[in-house]
């Protein structure tokens, strides 16, 4: 009888733990976007822009051709703190440059607020 109880407890424990992962605290709703995920650069818009003009302005400011931030990947020997500091400097300079060109940022959907970006306003994809 005791051997049968011992054999079942790992199964019960794994079911309990996997059940918490499926419907428990790990999968509570978060601030994830509710709609399509646009690249960061696609959320910057201004009156009269085209996809091509925004891309040219974005790249001229240091952004990537894919409308990403254009910053390098982290390489393991580099201290993580210095990488983050460099990334923040790059993003601040990128944001200041694109704002100076007249662009405004459109916010993604968060909880009860709608996404300010759609194919018409952000001209994406």
């Amino acid at each position: 009888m005791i051997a049968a109880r011992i054999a079942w407890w790992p199964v019960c424990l794994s079911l309990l733990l996997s059940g918490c992962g499926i419907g428990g605290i790990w999968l509570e709703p978060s601030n994830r976007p509710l709609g399509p995920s646009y690249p960061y650069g696609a959320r910057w818009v201004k009156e009269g822009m085209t996809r091509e003009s925004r891309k040219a302005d974005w790249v001229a400011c240091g952004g990537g051709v894919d409308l990403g931030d254009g910053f390098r990947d982290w390489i393991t020997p580099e201290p993580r703190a210095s990488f983050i500091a460099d990334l923040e400097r790059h993003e601040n300079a990128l944001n200041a440059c694109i704002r100076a060109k007249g662009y405004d940022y459109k916010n993604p959907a968060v909880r009860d607020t709608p996404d300010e970006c759609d194919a018409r306003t952000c001209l994406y994809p």
Side-chain angles (χ1 to χ4, degrees), residues 63-76:
V65 295
D66 61 350
L67 296 178
D69 65 15
F71 195 68
R72 63 184 170 75
D73 291 333
W74 176 56
I75 300 171
T76 307

Side-chain angles (χ1 to χ4, degrees), residues 101-118:
K101 292 180 180 280
Y103 288 85
D104 290 315
Y105 182 75
K106 300 293 183 185
N107 292 307
V110 181
R111 300 244 175 199
D112 296 327
T113 61
D115 195 326
E116 294 178 350
C117 237
D118 61 28

Side-chain angles (χ1 to χ4, degrees), residues 1-50:
M1 186 71 168
I2 294 175
R5 285 188 189 175
I6 293 174
W8 281 101
W9 82 264
V11 174
C12 293
L13 181 62
S14 66
L15 287 174
L16 176 67
L17 291 176
S18 65
C20 291
I22 292 170
I25 60 172
W26 297 319
L27 294 180
E28 284 185 16
S30 65
N31 290 341
R32 287 177 282 141
L34 301 175
S37 178
Y38 297 104
Y40 181 62
R43 294 190 164 277
W44 290 90
V45 299
K46 75 175 181 179
E47 188 70 33
M49 72 166 199
T50 63

